[in-house]
Amino acid sequence: MTFLNLYSLAHFFIWFIAGRYIRMGWPLFLILSIGWEGLEMILPFEFAEEWIGNKLADIVVNVFGFYLGKKLGKR
């Protein structure tokens, strides 16, 4: 079992772009990020079939991407 996969890279870039270009605060980001991972638990699609360790790793990757996007977005 691995914590990171190809979807983790997608998570990083999606949240990096959101942090860099969209005016969004941390509370909304956390609601969307954690909410999506929760929603994946009940979605009947193959891409959503991950174990809990991967979901937690996705949230960490999301936070890192959003943080880096926010940092690089400031002028």
Side-chain angles (χ1 to χ4, degrees):
M1 284 187 263
T2 141
F3 291 106
L4 301 175
N5 57 27
L6 210 46
Y7 291 120
S8 301
L9 190 59
H11 279 254
F12 174 83
F13 283 115
I14 288 167
W15 287 111
F16 175 83
I17 297 299
R20 176 92 165 84
Y21 297 107
I22 298 173
R23 299 185 97 193
M24 178 187 315
W26 282 95
L28 179 57
F29 157 73
L30 289 171
I31 289 168
L32 293 173
S33 175
I34 295 169
W36 175 254
E37 294 304 322
L39 180 63
E40 278 187 337
M41 294 175 139
I42 61 171
L43 289 175
F45 302 112
E46 187 176 324
F47 75 86
E49 294 176 8
E50 301 172 322
W51 60 289
I52 194 72
N54 183 261
K55 295 205 176 295
L56 294 174
D58 282 346
I59 292 170
V60 171
V61 169
N62 293 349
V63 168
F64 183 63
F66 189 72
Y67 171 78
L68 202 57
K70 285 288 222 193
K71 277 296 206 195
L72 294 176
K74 291 187 177 180
R75 294 177 189 174

Coordinates of all heavy atoms in Angstrom, one line a residue:
M1 N 0.8 -1.2 0.0 CA 0.0 0.0 0.0 C 0.9 1.2 0.0 O 1.8 1.3 0.7 CB -0.9 0.0 1.2 CG -2.1 -0.9 1.1 SD -3.2 -0.8 2.5 CE -2.6 -2.1 3.5
T2 N 0.5 2.2 -0.8 CA 1.2 3.4 -0.8 C 0.3 4.6 -0.5 O -0.9 4.5 -0.9 CB 1.9 3.7 -2.2 OG1 1.8 5.0 -2.6 CG2 1.4 2.8 -3.3
F3 N 0.8 5.6 0.1 CA 0.0 6.7 0.5 C -0.3 7.7 -0.7 O -1.4 8.3 -0.7 CB 0.6 7.5 1.6 CG 0.7 6.8 2.9 CD1 1.9 6.3 3.4 CD2 -0.5 6.7 3.7 CE1 1.9 5.6 4.6 CE2 -0.4 6.0 4.9 CZ 0.8 5.5 5.4
L4 N 0.7 7.8 -1.5 CA 0.5 8.7 -2.7 C 0.3 7.9 -4.0 O 0.9 6.8 -4.1 CB 1.8 9.6 -2.8 CG 2.1 10.4 -1.5 CD1 3.4 11.2 -1.7 CD2 0.9 11.4 -1.2
N5 N -0.4 8.5 -4.9 CA -0.6 7.9 -6.2 C -0.7 9.1 -7.2 O -0.5 10.2 -6.9 CB -1.9 7.0 -6.2 CG -3.1 7.7 -5.7 OD1 -3.3 9.0 -5.9 ND2 -4.1 7.0 -5.2
L6 N -1.1 8.7 -8.4 CA -1.2 9.8 -9.5 C -2.3 10.8 -9.1 O -2.1 12.0 -9.5 CB -1.5 9.1 -10.8 CG -1.0 9.8 -12.0 CD1 0.4 10.2 -11.9 CD2 -1.2 8.9 -13.2
Y7 N -3.3 10.4 -8.5 CA -4.4 11.3 -8.1 C -3.8 12.4 -7.1 O -4.3 13.5 -7.0 CB -5.6 10.6 -7.5 CG -6.3 9.8 -8.5 CD1 -6.5 8.5 -8.4 CD2 -6.9 10.5 -9.6 CE1 -7.2 7.7 -9.3 CE2 -7.6 9.7 -10.5 CZ -7.8 8.4 -10.4 OH -8.5 7.7 -11.3
S8 N -2.8 12.0 -6.3 CA -2.2 12.9 -5.3 C -1.6 14.1 -6.0 O -1.7 15.2 -5.6 CB -1.2 12.2 -4.5 OG -1.7 11.1 -3.8
L9 N -0.9 13.8 -7.2 CA -0.3 14.8 -8.0 C -1.4 15.8 -8.5 O -1.3 17.0 -8.5 CB 0.4 14.2 -9.1 CG 1.3 15.1 -10.0 CD1 2.4 15.8 -9.1 CD2 2.0 14.3 -11.1
A10 N -2.5 15.2 -8.9 CA -3.7 16.0 -9.4 C -4.2 16.9 -8.3 O -4.5 18.1 -8.5 CB -4.8 15.2 -10.0
H11 N -4.3 16.3 -7.1 CA -4.8 17.1 -5.9 C -3.9 18.3 -5.7 O -4.3 19.4 -5.4 CB -4.8 16.2 -4.6 CG -5.9 15.3 -4.5 ND1 -6.9 15.5 -3.6 CD2 -6.3 14.2 -5.2 CE1 -7.8 14.6 -3.7 NE2 -7.5 13.7 -4.6
F12 N -2.5 18.0 -5.7 CA -1.6 19.1 -5.5 C -1.8 20.2 -6.5 O -1.9 21.4 -6.1 CB -0.1 18.6 -5.6 CG 0.9 19.7 -5.4 CD1 1.2 20.2 -4.2 CD2 1.4 20.3 -6.6 CE1 2.1 21.2 -4.1 CE2 2.3 21.3 -6.5 CZ 2.7 21.8 -5.2
F13 N -1.8 19.9 -7.8 CA -1.9 21.0 -8.8 C -3.3 21.7 -8.7 O -3.3 22.9 -8.9 CB -1.7 20.4 -10.2 CG -0.2 20.2 -10.4 CD1 0.3 18.9 -10.6 CD2 0.7 21.3 -10.4 CE1 1.7 18.7 -10.8 CE2 2.0 21.1 -10.6 CZ 2.5 19.8 -10.8
I14 N -4.4 21.0 -8.5 CA -5.7 21.7 -8.4 C -5.7 22.7 -7.2 O -6.1 23.8 -7.4 CB -6.8 20.6 -8.1 CG1 -7.0 19.8 -9.4 CG2 -8.1 21.3 -7.6 CD1 -7.9 18.6 -9.2
W15 N -5.2 22.3 -6.1 CA -5.2 23.2 -4.9 C -4.1 24.2 -5.0 O -4.2 25.3 -4.5 CB -5.1 22.4 -3.6 CG -6.5 21.8 -3.4 CD1 -6.8 20.4 -3.4 CD2 -7.7 22.4 -3.1 NE1 -8.1 20.3 -3.2 CE2 -8.7 21.5 -3.0 CE3 -8.1 23.8 -3.0 CZ2 -10.0 21.8 -2.8 CZ3 -9.4 24.1 -2.8 CH2 -10.3 23.1 -2.7
F16 N -3.0 24.0 -5.7 CA -2.0 25.0 -5.9 C -2.6 26.1 -6.8 O -2.4 27.3 -6.5 CB -0.8 24.4 -6.6 CG 0.3 25.4 -7.0 CD1 1.2 25.9 -6.1 CD2 0.3 25.9 -8.3 CE1 2.1 26.8 -6.4 CE2 1.2 26.9 -8.6 CZ 2.1 27.4 -7.7
I17 N -3.3 25.7 -7.9 CA -3.9 26.7 -8.8 C -5.0 27.5 -8.0 O -5.1 28.7 -8.1 CB -4.5 26.0 -10.0 CG1 -3.4 25.3 -10.8 CG2 -5.3 27.0 -10.8 CD1 -2.4 26.3 -11.4
A18 N -5.8 26.8 -7.2 CA -6.8 27.5 -6.4 C -6.2 28.5 -5.4 O -6.6 29.6 -5.3 CB -7.6 26.4 -5.6
G19 N -5.1 28.1 -4.7 CA -4.4 29.0 -3.8 C -3.8 30.1 -4.5 O -3.8 31.2 -3.9
R20 N -3.3 29.9 -5.7 CA -2.6 31.0 -6.4 C -3.5 32.0 -7.0 O -3.2 33.2 -7.0 CB -1.7 30.3 -7.5 CG -0.9 31.2 -8.4 CD 0.4 31.5 -7.9 NE 1.3 32.0 -8.9 CZ 1.4 33.3 -9.2 NH1 0.6 34.2 -8.5 NH2 2.2 33.8 -10.0
Y21 N -4.6 31.5 -7.6 CA -5.4 32.4 -8.5 C -6.8 32.7 -8.0 O -7.5 33.6 -8.5 CB -5.5 31.8 -9.9 CG -4.1 31.7 -10.6 CD1 -3.5 30.5 -10.7 CD2 -3.5 32.9 -11.0 CE1 -2.3 30.4 -11.3 CE2 -2.3 32.8 -11.6 CZ -1.6 31.6 -11.8 OH -0.4 31.6 -12.4
I22 N -7.3 31.9 -7.0 CA -8.7 32.2 -6.5 C -8.6 32.8 -5.1 O -7.9 32.3 -4.3 CB -9.5 30.8 -6.5 CG1 -9.5 30.3 -7.9 CG2 -10.8 31.0 -5.9 CD1 -10.2 28.9 -8.0
R23 N -9.4 33.8 -4.9 CA -9.4 34.4 -3.6 C -10.3 33.5 -2.7 O -11.5 33.6 -2.7 CB -10.0 35.8 -3.7 CG -9.2 36.7 -4.6 CD -9.7 38.1 -4.5 NE -8.9 38.8 -3.5 CZ -9.2 40.0 -3.0 NH1 -10.3 40.6 -3.4 NH2 -8.4 40.5 -2.2
M24 N -9.6 32.7 -1.9 CA -10.3 31.7 -1.1 C -9.5 31.7 0.2 O -8.3 31.6 0.2 CB -10.3 30.3 -1.8 CG -10.9 29.3 -0.9 SD -10.8 27.6 -1.7 CE -11.2 27.8 -3.4
G25 N -10.2 31.7 1.3 CA -9.6 31.6 2.6 C -9.4 30.1 3.1 O -10.0 29.2 2.5
W26 N -8.7 30.0 4.1 CA -8.4 28.6 4.7 C -9.7 27.9 5.1 O -9.8 26.7 4.9 CB -7.4 28.7 5.8 CG -6.0 28.9 5.3 CD1 -5.3 30.0 5.1 CD2 -5.2 27.8 4.8 NE1 -4.1 29.8 4.6 CE2 -4.0 28.4 4.4 CE3 -5.3 26.5 4.7 CZ2 -2.9 27.7 3.9 CZ3 -4.3 25.7 4.2 CH2 -3.1 26.3 3.8
P27 N -10.7 28.6 5.8 CA -11.9 27.8 6.2 C -12.6 27.2 5.0 O -12.9 26.0 5.0 CB -12.7 28.9 6.9 CG -11.7 29.9 7.4 CD -10.7 29.9 6.3
L28 N -12.8 27.9 3.9 CA -13.5 27.4 2.8 C -12.7 26.3 2.1 O -13.2 25.2 1.7 CB -13.8 28.5 1.7 CG -14.5 28.0 0.4 CD1 -15.8 27.3 0.8 CD2 -14.7 29.2 -0.5
F29 N -11.4 26.5 2.0 CA -10.5 25.5 1.5 C -10.6 24.2 2.3 O -10.8 23.1 1.7 CB -9.0 25.9 1.5 CG -8.1 24.8 1.5 CD1 -7.9 24.0 0.3 CD2 -7.4 24.4 2.6 CE1 -7.0 22.9 0.3 CE2 -6.5 23.3 2.7 CZ -6.3 22.6 1.5
L30 N -10.6 24.2 3.6 CA -10.7 23.0 4.4 C -12.0 22.3 4.3 O -12.1 21.1 4.2 CB -10.4 23.4 5.9 CG -8.9 23.7 6.2 CD1 -8.8 24.3 7.6 CD2 -8.0 22.5 6.0
I31 N -13.1 23.1 4.2 CA -14.4 22.5 4.0 C -14.5 21.8 2.7 O -14.9 20.6 2.6 CB -15.5 23.6 4.1 CG1 -15.7 24.1 5.5 CG2 -16.8 23.1 3.5 CD1 -16.5 25.4 5.6
L32 N -14.0 22.4 1.6 CA -14.0 21.8 0.3 C -13.1 20.6 0.2 O -13.4 19.5 -0.3 CB -13.6 22.8 -0.8 CG -14.6 23.9 -1.0 CD1 -14.0 24.9 -2.0 CD2 -15.9 23.4 -1.5
S33 N -11.9 20.7 0.7 CA -10.9 19.6 0.7 C -11.3 18.4 1.5 O -11.3 17.3 1.0 CB -9.5 20.2 1.2 OG -8.6 19.2 1.2
I34 N -11.7 18.6 2.7 CA -12.1 17.5 3.6 C -13.4 17.0 3.1 O -13.6 15.8 3.1 CB -12.0 17.9 5.1 CG1 -10.6 18.3 5.5 CG2 -12.6 16.9 5.9 CD1 -10.5 18.9 6.8
G35 N -14.3 17.9 2.7 CA -15.6 17.5 2.3 C -15.5 16.5 1.0 O -16.2 15.6 0.9
W36 N -14.6 16.9 0.1 CA -14.5 16.0 -1.1 C -14.0 14.6 -0.7 O -14.5 13.6 -1.2 CB -13.5 16.7 -2.1 CG -13.3 15.7 -3.2 CD1 -12.2 15.0 -3.5 CD2 -14.2 15.4 -4.3 NE1 -12.3 14.2 -4.6 CE2 -13.6 14.5 -5.1 CE3 -15.5 15.8 -4.6 CZ2 -14.2 13.9 -6.2 CZ3 -16.1 15.3 -5.7 CH2 -15.5 14.3 -6.5
E37 N -13.0 14.6 0.2 CA -12.5 13.3 0.6 C -13.6 12.5 1.3 O -13.7 11.2 1.1 CB -11.3 13.4 1.5 CG -10.1 14.0 0.8 CD -9.6 13.2 -0.4 OE1 -9.7 12.0 -0.4 OE2 -9.2 13.9 -1.4
G38 N -14.4 13.1 2.1 CA -15.6 12.4 2.7 C -16.6 12.0 1.7 O -17.1 10.8 1.8
L39 N -16.8 12.8 0.7 CA -17.8 12.4 -0.4 C -17.3 11.2 -1.2 O -18.1 10.3 -1.6 CB -18.0 13.6 -1.3 CG -19.0 13.4 -2.5 CD1 -20.4 13.1 -2.0 CD2 -19.0 14.6 -3.4
E40 N -16.0 11.2 -1.4 CA -15.4 10.0 -2.1 C -15.7 8.7 -1.4 O -15.7 7.7 -2.1 CB -13.9 10.2 -2.3 CG -13.5 11.1 -3.4 CD -12.0 11.1 -3.6 OE1 -11.2 10.8 -2.6 OE2 -11.5 11.4 -4.7
M41 N -15.9 8.7 -0.1 CA -16.2 7.5 0.6 C -17.5 6.8 0.2 O -17.7 5.6 0.4 CB -16.1 7.7 2.1 CG -14.8 8.1 2.6 SD -14.9 8.5 4.4 CE -13.4 7.7 4.9
I42 N -18.4 7.7 -0.3 CA -19.7 7.1 -0.7 C -20.0 7.1 -2.2 O -21.0 6.5 -2.6 CB -20.9 7.9 0.0 CG1 -20.9 9.3 -0.3 CG2 -20.8 7.7 1.6 CD1 -22.1 10.1 0.2
L43 N -19.1 7.7 -3.0 CA -19.2 7.6 -4.4 C -19.0 6.2 -5.0 O -18.0 5.6 -4.5 CB -18.3 8.6 -5.1 CG -18.6 10.1 -4.9 CD1 -17.5 11.0 -5.5 CD2 -19.9 10.5 -5.5
P44 N -19.8 5.8 -5.9 CA -19.6 4.4 -6.4 C -18.7 4.4 -7.6 O -18.9 3.6 -8.5 CB -21.1 4.1 -6.8 CG -21.7 5.4 -7.3 CD -21.0 6.4 -6.4
F45 N -17.7 5.2 -7.7 CA -16.8 5.2 -8.8 C -15.4 4.6 -8.4 O -15.0 4.7 -7.3 CB -16.6 6.6 -9.4 CG -17.9 7.2 -9.8 CD1 -18.4 8.3 -9.0 CD2 -18.6 6.8 -10.9 CE1 -19.6 8.9 -9.4 CE2 -19.8 7.3 -11.2 CZ -20.3 8.4 -10.5
E46 N -14.7 4.0 -9.4 CA -13.4 3.4 -9.2 C -12.4 4.4 -8.6 O -11.6 4.0 -7.8 CB -12.9 2.7 -10.4 CG -11.7 1.9 -10.2 CD -11.3 1.2 -11.5 OE1 -12.1 0.8 -12.3 OE2 -10.0 1.1 -11.7
F47 N -12.4 5.6 -9.2 CA -11.4 6.5 -8.7 C -11.5 6.9 -7.2 O -10.5 7.3 -6.6 CB -11.4 7.8 -9.5 CG -12.6 8.7 -9.2 CD1 -12.5 9.7 -8.2 CD2 -13.7 8.7 -10.0 CE1 -13.5 10.5 -7.9 CE2 -14.8 9.5 -9.7 CZ -14.7 10.4 -8.6
A48 N -12.7 6.7 -6.7 CA -12.9 7.0 -5.3 C -12.6 5.9 -4.3 O -12.7 6.1 -3.1 CB -14.4 7.5 -5.1
E49 N -12.3 4.7 -4.8 CA -12.0 3.6 -4.0 C -10.5 3.6 -3.5 O -9.6 3.1 -4.1 CB -12.3 2.3 -4.8 CG -13.7 2.1 -5.1 CD -14.0 0.9 -5.9 OE1 -13.0 0.1 -6.1 OE2 -15.1 0.7 -6.4
E50 N -10.4 4.2 -2.4 CA -9.0 4.4 -1.7 C -9.2 4.0 -0.3 O -10.3 4.1 0.3 CB -8.5 5.8 -1.8 CG -8.4 6.3 -3.2 CD -8.1 7.8 -3.3 OE1 -8.6 8.6 -2.4 OE2 -7.3 8.2 -4.1
W51 N -8.1 3.6 0.3 CA -8.1 3.3 1.7 C -7.9 4.6 2.5 O -7.4 5.6 2.0 CB -7.2 2.2 2.1 CG -5.8 2.4 1.8 CD1 -5.2 2.5 0.6 CD2 -4.7 2.7 2.8 NE1 -3.8 2.8 0.7 CE2 -3.5 2.9 2.0 CE3 -4.7 2.8 4.1 CZ2 -2.3 3.2 2.7 CZ3 -3.5 3.0 4.8 CH2 -2.3 3.2 4.0
I52 N -8.2 4.6 3.8 CA -8.2 5.8 4.6 C -6.9 6.5 4.7 O -6.8 7.7 4.7 CB -8.8 5.5 6.0 CG1 -9.1 6.8 6.8 CG2 -7.8 4.7 6.8 CD1 -10.3 7.5 6.3
G53 N -5.8 5.7 4.7 CA -4.4 6.3 4.7 C -4.2 7.2 3.5 O -3.6 8.3 3.6
N54 N -4.7 6.8 2.3 CA -4.6 7.6 1.1 C -5.4 8.8 1.2 O -5.0 9.9 0.7 CB -4.9 6.8 -0.1 CG -4.7 7.5 -1.4 OD1 -5.6 8.1 -2.0 ND2 -3.4 7.6 -1.8
K55 N -6.6 8.7 1.8 CA -7.4 9.9 1.9 C -6.8 11.0 2.8 O -6.8 12.2 2.5 CB -8.8 9.5 2.4 CG -9.5 8.6 1.4 CD -11.0 8.7 1.6 CE -11.7 7.9 0.5 NZ -11.5 8.4 -0.8
L56 N -6.2 10.5 3.9 CA -5.5 11.4 4.8 C -4.3 12.0 4.1 O -4.0 13.2 4.2 CB -5.1 10.7 6.1 CG -6.2 10.2 6.9 CD1 -5.7 9.4 8.1 CD2 -7.0 11.4 7.5
A57 N -3.6 11.2 3.3 CA -2.4 11.8 2.6 C -2.9 12.8 1.5 O -2.2 13.8 1.3 CB -1.7 10.6 1.9
D58 N -4.0 12.5 0.9 CA -4.6 13.5 -0.1 C -4.8 14.9 0.6 O -4.6 15.9 0.0 CB -5.9 13.0 -0.7 CG -5.6 12.0 -1.8 OD1 -4.5 11.8 -2.2 OD2 -6.6 11.3 -2.2
I59 N -5.4 14.8 1.8 CA -5.6 16.1 2.6 C -4.3 16.8 2.8 O -4.2 18.0 2.7 CB -6.4 15.8 3.8 CG1 -7.8 15.3 3.5 CG2 -6.5 17.1 4.7 CD1 -8.7 14.8 4.6
V60 N -3.3 16.1 3.2 CA -2.0 16.7 3.5 C -1.4 17.3 2.2 O -0.9 18.4 2.2 CB -1.0 15.7 4.0 CG1 0.4 16.2 4.1 CG2 -1.4 15.2 5.4
V61 N -1.6 16.6 1.1 CA -1.1 17.1 -0.2 C -1.9 18.3 -0.6 O -1.4 19.3 -1.1 CB -1.2 16.0 -1.3 CG1 -1.0 16.6 -2.7 CG2 -0.2 14.9 -1.0
N62 N -3.2 18.3 -0.4 CA -4.1 19.5 -0.6 C -3.6 20.7 0.1 O -3.5 21.8 -0.4 CB -5.5 19.2 -0.2 CG -6.2 18.1 -1.1 OD1 -5.7 17.7 -2.1 ND2 -7.3 17.7 -0.6
V63 N -3.3 20.5 1.4 CA -2.9 21.6 2.3 C -1.5 22.2 1.7 O -1.4 23.4 1.6 CB -2.7 21.2 3.7 CG1 -2.0 22.2 4.6 CG2 -4.1 20.9 4.3
F64 N -0.6 21.3 1.4 CA 0.7 21.7 0.9 C 0.5 22.5 -0.4 O 1.1 23.6 -0.6 CB 1.6 20.5 0.7 CG 3.0 20.9 0.2 CD1 3.8 21.7 1.0 CD2 3.4 20.5 -1.0 CE1 5.1 22.0 0.6 CE2 4.7 20.8 -1.4 CZ 5.5 21.6 -0.7
G65 N -0.3 22.0 -1.3 CA -0.5 22.7 -2.6 C -1.2 24.0 -2.4 O -0.8 25.0 -3.0
F66 N -2.2 24.1 -1.6 CA -2.9 25.3 -1.3 C -2.0 26.4 -0.6 O -1.9 27.5 -1.0 CB -4.1 25.1 -0.4 CG -5.0 26.3 -0.3 CD1 -5.8 26.7 -1.4 CD2 -5.1 27.0 0.9 CE1 -6.7 27.8 -1.2 CE2 -6.0 28.1 1.0 CZ -6.7 28.5 0.0
Y67 N -1.2 25.9 0.3 CA -0.3 26.8 1.0 C 0.8 27.4 0.1 O 1.0 28.6 0.1 CB 0.4 26.0 2.2 CG 1.6 26.7 2.8 CD1 1.3 27.8 3.7 CD2 2.9 26.5 2.4 CE1 2.4 28.5 4.3 CE2 3.9 27.2 3.0 CZ 3.7 28.2 3.9 OH 4.7 28.9 4.4
L68 N 1.3 26.5 -0.7 CA 2.4 26.9 -1.7 C 1.7 27.9 -2.7 O 2.4 28.9 -3.1 CB 3.0 25.7 -2.4 CG 4.3 25.9 -3.0 CD1 5.3 26.4 -2.0 CD2 4.8 24.6 -3.6
G69 N 0.5 27.6 -3.2 CA -0.1 28.5 -4.1 C -0.4 29.9 -3.5 O -0.2 30.9 -4.1
K70 N -0.8 29.9 -2.2 CA -1.0 31.1 -1.5 C 0.3 31.9 -1.4 O 0.3 33.1 -1.6 CB -1.6 30.9 -0.1 CG -3.1 30.5 -0.1 CD -3.9 31.7 -0.4 CE -5.1 31.7 0.5 NZ -6.0 32.7 -0.1
K71 N 1.3 31.2 -1.0 CA 2.6 31.9 -0.8 C 3.1 32.5 -2.1 O 3.6 33.6 -2.1 CB 3.7 30.9 -0.3 CG 3.6 30.7 1.2 CD 4.0 32.0 1.9 CE 4.6 31.7 3.2 NZ 4.6 32.9 4.0
L72 N 3.0 31.8 -3.2 CA 3.5 32.2 -4.5 C 2.6 33.2 -5.1 O 3.0 34.0 -6.0 CB 3.8 31.1 -5.4 CG 4.9 30.2 -4.9 CD1 5.1 29.0 -5.9 CD2 6.3 30.9 -4.8
G73 N 1.4 33.3 -4.7 CA 0.4 34.2 -5.2 C 0.5 35.6 -4.7 O -0.1 36.5 -5.3
K74 N 1.1 35.8 -3.5 CA 1.2 37.1 -2.9 C 2.2 37.9 -3.7 O 3.3 37.5 -4.1 CB 1.7 37.0 -1.5 CG 0.6 36.4 -0.6 CD 1.0 36.4 0.8 CE -0.1 35.8 1.6 NZ 0.1 35.8 3.0
R75 N 1.8 39.2 -3.9 CA 2.7 40.1 -4.6 C 3.0 41.3 -3.8 O 2.3 41.8 -3.0 CB 2.1 40.5 -5.9 CG 2.0 39.3 -6.8 CD 1.3 39.6 -8.0 NE 1.1 38.3 -8.6 CZ 0.4 38.1 -9.7 NH1 -0.1 39.0 -10.3 NH2 0.3 36.9 -10.2

